[in-house]
Amino acid sequence: MQKTVTSREANQQFARILREVEAGAEIVVTRRGVPVARIAPARQDGVRRLTPEQEAAHARSMARLRQGWDLGGEKFDRASLYDD
């Protein structure tokens, strides 16, 4: 997938552009509509892929985190911590 951005956008959004490149995108940087640079992944296989077992473990972990843990205590909020 190739995307074109202006030099100004590349300067202001460099972190986002790097994330896109890391995910496999190729970015062409233009100045006044003329292509001047190409940012591409360093390796074609640079995107980390999880094994099916790792994907399943990740899904289980995320589900458990969303559910939370019952620690057997009473519920409280931040304000009640500092009442005294």
Side-chain angles (χ1 to χ4, degrees):
M1 161 174 114
Q2 187 174 4
K3 182 178 175 181
T4 302
V5 297
T6 65
S7 59
R8 180 179 182 182
E9 182 182 0
N11 185 37
Q12 293 175 342
Q13 302 291 323
F14 193 66
R16 178 188 56 82
I17 288 172
L18 283 182
R19 283 192 301 275
E20 289 181 24
V21 170
E22 192 174 38
E26 184 175 299
I27 309 288
V28 174
V29 181
T30 63
R31 181 182 295 145
R32 295 186 183 135
V34 178
V36 293
R38 181 172 51 93
I39 306 172
R43 300 180 304 179
Q44 293 300 329
D45 63 343
V47 178
R48 179 161 187 232
R49 290 177 182 32
L50 300 178
T51 65
E53 294 83 14
Q54 289 172 325
E55 295 257 354
H58 181 262
R60 286 191 310 271
S61 296
M62 293 306 292
R64 186 65 182 137
L65 284 172
R66 282 187 210 98
Q67 180 182 357
W69 285 271
D70 180 15
L71 300 177
E74 64 180 271
K75 293 192 179 214
F76 57 88
D77 60 5
R78 181 182 171 100
S80 65
L81 288 174
Y82 300 103
D83 280 344
D84 295 327

